[in-house]
Amino acid sequence: MFPTSTFTLFFIALFAVFSLVASAPAPLLQRDVYSPPVLYPRNGTVWRVGEHHNVTWDISNAPEHITNNIGMVILCRDHELLDLDRPLAKNFNILIARHEIVVPDVEPGNNYRILVFGDSGNTGEMFTITK
Ligand SMILES: *[C@@H]1O[C@H](CO)[C@@H](O)[C@H](O)[C@H]1NC(C)=O
Ligand SMILES: *[C@@H]1O[C@H](CO)[C@@H](O)[C@H](O)[C@H]1NC(C)=O
């Protein structure tokens, strides 16, 4: 269903994150892995294909030194990543807490989630996309 490279990339990214965490013996200037919790869209949200919306996330617990503050917004269906190669948004500063996206032309469904990805990802609640 997905190109292998997509999965490979994802697992390499995951592995990098885990090895970072595992090998961090609390150095003086610690750089922290950061995956902000998604606030919107949330359960009950309905988006229509083609609409513009702001994805928002909580930055109140952002660590002082983060390893990667370049963010990416990816659409997921259930627990599958859709189109990691073509994220809804990328190359923005994750500390801005919001990013406008255009709802892509996907099959209607009530099991979509948004993943906001910094060093590692955090998915939001399930929401609905309609035509
Ligand atoms: C998204 O947020 C920006 C900044 O607050 C605002 O200018 C823009 O109109 C918002 N877009 C939508 C679709 O609400
Ligand atoms: C949100 O709504 C869906 C149905 O669309 C439901 O299956 C899911 O358990 C709900 N809760 C969360 C936290 O996503």
Side-chain angles (χ1 to χ4, degrees), residues 39-48 53 109-110 112 125-130:
L39 297 176
Y40 179 85
R42 57 180 165 266
N43 218 244
T45 299
V46 179
W47 283 359
R48 202 168 283 278
H53 289 286
N110 66 354
Y112 285 99
E125 294 176 357
M126 276 189 198
F127 69 101
T128 302
I129 295 182
T130 64

Side-chain angles (χ1 to χ4, degrees), residues 36-43 45 55-59 97 116 124-125:
V38 177
L39 297 176
Y40 179 85
R42 57 180 165 266
N43 218 244
T45 299
V55 171
T56 65
W57 54 92
D58 184 10
I59 55 163
V116 174
E125 294 176 357

Side-chain angles (χ1 to χ4, degrees), residues 13-14 19 22-23 29 31 35-36 44 52 56 58 71 77 87 100 107 114 119 126 131:
L14 267 187
S19 50
S23 67
L29 189 128
R31 298 203 153 250
S35 47
H52 291 239
T56 65
D58 184 10
R77 187 154 199 195
E100 190 175 296
E107 208 184 296
I114 286 291
D119 303 294
M126 276 189 198
K131 289 273 183 187

